[in-house]
Amino acid sequence: MMLYKITEIADLFVDACLRNDSGELMFLSVYGRDTALQQFIAAMQLRSNDGGIISFSLKPTEANNEPARIFVNVGNPDRFEKYSGRLPKDNLFGNLSHIWIYDPVLIRPDKGTKTGWVILNQSSESAESKNLLTEGIWLLYKKLSPVPLLDDWKEEVTRLHNAICVTWMTDSNYPPVGKISAARLMIDDQFASLISSMIKSGQIGINGELIDVRTDARCKGAEKFVSNAKSVLKPFLSTSQYQSMLELCKGEEGDFFESKFEEMADRISAMPKTYDTQNIADPIVSLHYFMGGSDWYIIEKDVEDGVSQAFGYAILNCDLMCAELGYISIAELVEFNIGFQRVELDLHFVPIPLSEVKNLVERRYGQVAA
């Protein structure tokens, strides 16, 4: 087993280290006496002018093909978790402790950023390691994907998306140190749309069969996956509007309403989240809700679930003088009704800047918007 000395702190030895593609520490397996380990951990928490370390270097204890020094940036130390143990007392080196320092995203994929890691305690040189990494990446795809994925799609999805979504750390500028291997998956915002396009084009199908959704738009199997759009859009619609659209999908205008589901779902997926537009003078309004003389123009969706606390411009009872920007609960909005009137999402609204919305309502109501 190759060991590496931490040059900044005496008597600390590392047998494995993983960095991300920015060179920041993700995982460190380090051995040493308790005092040296505690000194190292404390130094990572301090600023450099207070005697702390923002980076450290590893020096191989034996000659090999690696650089004479391997540099590691600490990054934000607050993200680290630790797992410690103690070597048996009768070992050759005396009373030593062993600590893993790691970013928890390595074991708990981040569904918010759709990022996850696979890490193995063996080098990537063997065929077995490569297969295990590949299998682990596919499991992450299934866990983090915003749309359901079938195992039959594995080969085609990974072939087309690995180059975009996967970083094989052995091939990066900061390869793993020691006998470990790792890969990172980061699914981008366009992934769901690309999967939908693959189904439509017949690249992937249901139950192992390729299908062309264009010629069978309401195929039950295809609908389950292509119309993930329906599940995306559902929280943004009142129950009655959602049910009406589902029924209309079965009629003569089915193609129109199917396309509306997908169009609106894509728009919602790409919308800014809470605080994303706070420094934009004239933000884009993405959604419009209406009921009678009241309008709600949505600029940001809620950062958590999209609907709990959105942000937008509200006009109640045609009163532009009291119209205002503020937080809007879409979840409450779509449940609101007065008699037979319900708040509905405007399926024909086209995203425009807030200034144009104000011009539009001023012309409609003959008042100056606040």
Side-chain angles (χ1 to χ4, degrees), residues 52-65:
I53 56 174
I54 59 173
S55 65
F56 59 91
S57 58
L58 304 176
K59 182 179 180 181
T61 56
E62 302 174 17
N64 61 11
N65 295 326

Side-chain angles (χ1 to χ4, degrees), residues 162-289:
N162 275 5
I164 302 170
C165 300
V166 178
T167 302
W168 306 99
M169 300 314 297
T170 301
D171 301 327
S172 72
N173 292 328
Y174 303 96
V177 177
K179 286 194 174 182
I180 60 171
S181 53
R184 185 193 66 187
L185 175 71
M186 182 179 289
I187 293 178
D188 62 21
D189 292 337
Q190 302 303 314
F191 185 79
S193 298
L194 293 172
I195 293 296
S196 177
S197 298
M198 290 173 71
I199 296 175
K200 289 180 179 180
S201 66
Q203 288 176 278
I204 54 179
I206 310 300
N207 297 328
E209 298 179 1
L210 296 180
I211 57 174
D212 189 344
V213 180
R214 291 169 297 182
T215 60
D216 191 6
R218 286 176 292 281
C219 168
K220 290 183 180 179
E223 185 177 356
K224 179 179 178 182
F225 296 98
V226 176
S227 69
N228 174 67
K230 293 183 175 67
S231 62
V232 171
L233 190 56
K234 185 176 181 180
F236 291 81
L237 298 172
S238 67
T239 301
S240 59
Q241 187 176 15
Y242 178 70
Q243 293 296 336
S244 296
M245 288 181 67
L246 288 180
E247 288 301 314
L248 289 166
C249 285
K250 302 174 184 177
E252 293 181 358
E253 295 182 286
D255 289 342
F256 170 80
F257 283 98
E258 288 281 358
S259 67
K260 276 298 173 184
F261 266 118
E262 293 191 38
E263 175 192 334
M264 299 304 290
D266 286 345
R267 186 187 303 178
I268 288 168
S269 297
M271 275 181 68
K273 301 181 182 68
T274 309
Y275 303 125
D276 281 353
T277 66
Q278 62 180 337
N279 296 320
I280 299 176
D282 193 14
I284 298 296
V285 174
S286 296
L287 303 175
H288 172 222
Y289 289 88

Side-chain angles (χ1 to χ4, degrees), residues 25-310:
L25 179 64
M26 296 298 294
F27 171 79
L28 189 72
S29 173
V30 56
Y31 297 83
R33 303 196 186 281
D34 285 341
T35 51
L37 287 169
Q38 293 306 318
Q39 180 186 355
F40 176 63
I41 292 170
M44 286 199 297
Q45 299 289 335
L46 296 174
R47 295 176 299 182
S48 57
N49 56 1
D50 292 329
I53 56 174
I54 59 173
S55 65
F56 59 91
S57 58
L58 304 176
K59 182 179 180 181
T61 56
E62 302 174 17
N64 61 11
N65 295 326
E66 294 179 297
R69 288 183 186 271
I70 300 165
F71 293 94
V72 182
N73 295 320
V74 173
N76 179 10
D78 294 334
R79 62 195 163 95
F80 294 130
E81 293 184 3
K82 304 172 189 68
Y83 184 82
S84 62
R86 191 175 296 278
L87 272 64
K89 292 183 179 180
D90 57 353
N91 73 82
L92 294 174
F93 305 101
N95 190 16
L96 291 181
S97 294
H98 180 202
I99 290 183
W100 285 353
I101 301 171
Y102 61 93
D103 189 315
V105 74
L106 293 177
I107 57 175
R108 295 190 292 274
D110 187 337
K111 292 187 177 181
T113 61
K114 298 184 180 66
T115 302
W117 289 73
V118 182
I119 181 170
L120 301 177
N121 62 343
Q122 51 186 289
S123 68
S124 60
E125 297 171 358
S126 68
E128 179 188 10
S129 295
K130 293 176 181 177
N131 289 336
L132 289 172
L133 285 174
T134 301
E135 287 298 321
I137 285 294
W138 176 243
L139 291 175
L140 283 176
Y141 268 117
K142 293 172 67 177
K143 180 175 290 188
L144 295 172
S145 170
V147 294
L149 299 177
L150 294 180
D151 284 328
D152 290 341
W153 300 351
K154 174 185 172 183
E155 183 176 349
E156 194 67 14
V157 170
T158 55
R159 182 181 68 83
L160 292 175
H161 296 286
N162 275 5
I164 302 170
C165 300
V166 178
T167 302
W168 306 99
M169 300 314 297
T170 301
D171 301 327
S172 72
N173 292 328
Y174 303 96
V177 177
K179 286 194 174 182
I180 60 171
S181 53
R184 185 193 66 187
L185 175 71
M186 182 179 289
I187 293 178
D188 62 21
D189 292 337
Q190 302 303 314
F191 185 79
S193 298
L194 293 172
I195 293 296
S196 177
S197 298
M198 290 173 71
I199 296 175
K200 289 180 179 180
S201 66
Q203 288 176 278
I204 54 179
I206 310 300
N207 297 328
E209 298 179 1
L210 296 180
I211 57 174
D212 189 344
V213 180
R214 291 169 297 182
T215 60
D216 191 6
R218 286 176 292 281
C219 168
K220 290 183 180 179
E223 185 177 356
K224 179 179 178 182
F225 296 98
V226 176
S227 69
N228 174 67
K230 293 183 175 67
S231 62
V232 171
L233 190 56
K234 185 176 181 180
F236 291 81
L237 298 172
S238 67
T239 301
S240 59
Q241 187 176 15
Y242 178 70
Q243 293 296 336
S244 296
M245 288 181 67
L246 288 180
E247 288 301 314
L248 289 166
C249 285
K250 302 174 184 177
E252 293 181 358
E253 295 182 286
D255 289 342
F256 170 80
F257 283 98
E258 288 281 358
S259 67
K260 276 298 173 184
F261 266 118
E262 293 191 38
E263 175 192 334
M264 299 304 290
D266 286 345
R267 186 187 303 178
I268 288 168
S269 297
M271 275 181 68
K273 301 181 182 68
T274 309
Y275 303 125
D276 281 353
T277 66
Q278 62 180 337
N279 296 320
I280 299 176
D282 193 14
I284 298 296
V285 174
S286 296
L287 303 175
H288 172 222
Y289 289 88
F290 64 94
M291 184 184 74
S294 298
D295 298 89
W296 298 265
Y297 294 92
I298 308 301
I299 297 169
E300 298 173 348
K301 64 184 177 183
D302 184 83
V303 70
E304 296 293 337
D305 60 6
V307 296
S308 293
Q309 184 175 275

Side-chain angles (χ1 to χ4, degrees), residues 332-357:
E332 294 179 4
L333 205 59
V334 297
E335 292 181 358
F336 184 75
N337 66 86
I338 300 177
F340 292 104
Q341 289 191 86
R342 294 182 182 275
V343 176
E344 292 197 359
L345 176 64
D346 184 352
L347 300 179
H348 301 281
F349 179 76
V350 177
I352 54 175
L354 178 60
S355 59
E356 292 188 29
V357 167

